[in-house]
């Protein structure tokens, strides 16, 4: 069965530190890849997505992610975090890739706490 | 653009009672999803609709959960009877045909006592 694994459950960083959150998936077919963020008290929002093309994708708020097909990975990065980045981050994989009918599977999430 | 609307935001019930959640997706979005998010876990897909047809309900506990999408727009998710382990946030999301991106509502938090 398809699955998504996020390496870190809880990450604590100081402001200005660099961030990398790991995400691996298990699925041999075509995938679309997403990172969603959930700020405290808010709903899930899209940070960035990869469908095809350049494997390095840039999202909102200075986040980027790199798709490495050979490693089945889609790690999220940010060079310098801010206190406002404190949130829960979810990696998600849409399998099948068949337009809009594919199933979106989430990882278990990583809680990021940024200390001012 | 109005987002995905869900109600109620919070619900507390006793075990064995029933509960229903409502979702109004973004106008024009053909696909609608219900996810269950238990504290400390990622969202788990319960059911996916394409217009008013079910695409995937493989993880829906059909002995107690049911869902319908009326006329391909609004949707309701019902739990009857509820169990303690159903305590979770129930998320509704919708997606336009072209992008595949999911837009989420704020969720309905269920506590079963």
């Amino acid at each position: 069965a398809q699955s998504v694994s996020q390496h870190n459950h809880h990450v604590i960083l100081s402001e200005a530190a660099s961030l990398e959150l790991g995400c691996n998936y298990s699925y041999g077919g075509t995938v679309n890849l997403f990172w969603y963020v959930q700020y405290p008290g808010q709903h899930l929002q899209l940070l960035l997505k990869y469908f095809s093309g350049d494997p390095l994708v840039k999202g909102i708020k200075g986040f980027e992610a790199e798709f490495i097909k050979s490693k089945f990975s889609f790690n999220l990065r940010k060079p310098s975090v801010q206190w406002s980045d404190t949130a829960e981050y979810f990696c998600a994989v849409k399998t099948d890739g068949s337009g809009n009918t594919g199933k979106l599977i989430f990882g278990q999430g990583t809680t990021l706490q940024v200390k001012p | 653009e109005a987002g995905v609307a869900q109600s109620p935001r919070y619900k507390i019930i006793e075990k064995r009672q029933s509960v229903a959640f409502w979702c109004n997706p973004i106008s024009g979005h053909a696909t609608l999803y219900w996810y269950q998010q238990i504290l400390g876990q990622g969202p788990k897909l319960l059911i996916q609709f394409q217009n008013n047809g079910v695409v995937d309900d493989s993880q829906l506990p059909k002995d107690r959960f049911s869902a319908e999408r009326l006329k391909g727009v609004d949707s309701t998710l019902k739990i009857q009877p509820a169990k303690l382990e159903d305590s979770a946030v129930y998320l509704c999301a919708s997606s336009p045909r072209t992008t595949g991106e999911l837009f989420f509502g704020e969720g309905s938090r269920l506590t079963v006592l």
Side-chain angles (χ1 to χ4, degrees):
Chain A
Q2 304 95 333
S3 66
V4 180
S5 176
Q6 292 184 235
H7 306 163
N8 315 95
H9 291 285
H10 198 160
V11 173
I12 301 174
L13 295 173
S14 297
E15 275 195 313
S18 64
L19 170 72
E20 180 159 3
L21 301 182
C23 173
N24 286 90
Y25 64 93
S26 63
Y27 184 72
T30 302
V31 292
N32 296 332
L33 301 161
F34 304 80
W35 276 96
Y36 279 85
V37 61
Q38 189 167 26
Y39 297 105
Q42 296 187 27
H43 60 278
L44 281 162
Q45 303 170 43
L46 183 70
L47 260 185
L48 47 79
K49 61 187 177 186
Y50 171 81
F51 283 5
S52 64
D54 188 343
L56 183 63
V57 293
K58 296 191 184 300
I60 61 171
K61 303 186 180 184
F63 286 90
E64 65 178 31
E66 184 175 13
F67 171 48
I68 303 179
K69 189 174 181 180
S70 61
K71 294 184 178 180
F72 298 90
S73 71
F74 190 56
N75 292 353
L76 181 71
R77 299 194 292 250
K78 185 171 184 178
S80 176
V81 295
Q82 300 173 317
W83 177 79
S84 57
D85 293 325
T86 294
E88 191 152 16
Y89 292 81
F90 294 94
C91 179
V93 175
K94 196 168 203 182
T95 63
D96 188 356
S98 55
N100 203 28
T101 57
K103 179 188 298 189
L104 187 67
I105 301 168
F106 283 85
Q108 66 269 44
T110 297
T111 301
L112 172 64
Q113 183 182 352
V114 180
K115 294 183 174 180
Chain B
E1 175 180 83
V4 176
Q6 288 189 246
S7 67
R9 289 291 311 279
Y10 305 93
K11 188 75 175 179
I12 301 173
I13 61 173
E14 304 261 336
K15 61 183 179 183
R16 292 187 289 272
Q17 287 186 323
S18 63
V19 63
F21 301 112
W22 173 83
C23 172
N24 180 235
I26 293 173
S27 176
H29 283 194
T31 310
L32 185 147
Y33 308 78
W34 283 102
Y35 282 84
Q36 179 193 58
Q37 187 176 14
I38 293 172
L39 188 64
Q41 299 181 20
K44 182 183 86 171
L45 180 66
L46 292 175
I47 189 167
Q48 178 181 342
F49 292 94
Q50 182 76 10
N51 296 309
N52 59 355
V54 175
V55 173
D56 189 325
D57 64 356
S58 57
Q59 296 196 87
L60 186 74
K62 299 180 186 65
D63 58 333
R64 298 183 301 105
F65 285 65
S66 64
E68 61 179 1
R69 189 175 184 193
L70 307 171
K71 299 180 182 178
V73 182
D74 292 7
S75 177
T76 55
L77 175 71
K78 296 179 181 177
I79 307 174
Q80 182 179 15
K83 292 186 175 182
L84 296 177
E85 59 261 35
D86 298 333
S87 293
V89 176
Y90 291 87
L91 298 168
C92 180
S94 68
S95 179
R97 187 176 297 276
T98 52
T99 71
E101 174 188 343
L102 272 65
F103 294 82
F104 284 85
E106 299 203 357
S108 295
R109 183 178 297 276
L110 173 65
T111 302
V112 182
L113 303 176

